[in-house]
Amino acid sequence: KRDRQIIVVTHNPNLVVGADAEQVVVANQKGEEGSENKKYKFEYVSGSIENSYLDKTEKAVLYQQGIREHICEILEGGEEAFKKREKKYNIPN
């Protein structure tokens, strides 16, 4: 990890968790019902897999939850599947 950087673009959260990604970028396109953005048509948030929070007061979908919650939302099997992978790959919680 010191000498190389690999950038992978995927819709597969299994790859993100399995690779123990250090930096995850979540994107959202404005327009679909329930997927509002703050200002722009395309918005992004980034952070580590360990980034976890919930903010029900926020209207913009990307800022309502942390990276971990975004991954669990997309991941087949949801939070339970994430916890199994978390244990398997020793991801700090």
Side-chain angles (χ1 to χ4, degrees):
K1 291 185 178 182
R2 285 187 197 141
D3 300 330
R4 297 190 183 142
Q5 182 177 40
I6 298 173
I7 298 172
V8 177
V9 178
T10 182
H11 288 99
N12 186 343
N14 292 306
L15 183 61
V16 173
V17 176
D20 190 20
E22 291 182 3
Q23 183 76 10
V24 178
V25 178
V26 180
N28 188 58
Q29 179 180 354
K30 185 177 183 177
E32 294 185 28
E33 187 176 324
S35 64
E36 293 303 316
N37 289 343
K38 281 191 176 194
K39 187 174 180 181
Y40 301 102
K41 182 174 182 175
F42 292 96
E43 290 187 349
Y44 308 88
V45 293
S46 67
S48 67
I49 293 173
E50 296 82 13
N51 177 299
S52 178
Y53 68 88
L54 291 173
D55 182 357
K56 300 209 183 252
T57 64
E58 178 61 56
K59 292 184 181 178
V61 68
L62 286 180
Y63 305 98
Q64 292 173 353
Q65 56 192 8
I67 299 299
R68 178 183 293 223
E69 287 77 20
H70 283 295
I71 291 170
C72 288
E73 188 174 70
I74 301 166
L75 185 66
E76 185 176 324
E79 190 172 340
E80 184 179 328
F82 183 90
K83 286 184 180 192
K84 286 180 183 177
R85 288 172 181 84
E86 179 179 59
K87 189 174 183 178
K88 181 177 180 179
Y89 297 115
N90 294 318
I91 298 170
N93 50 4

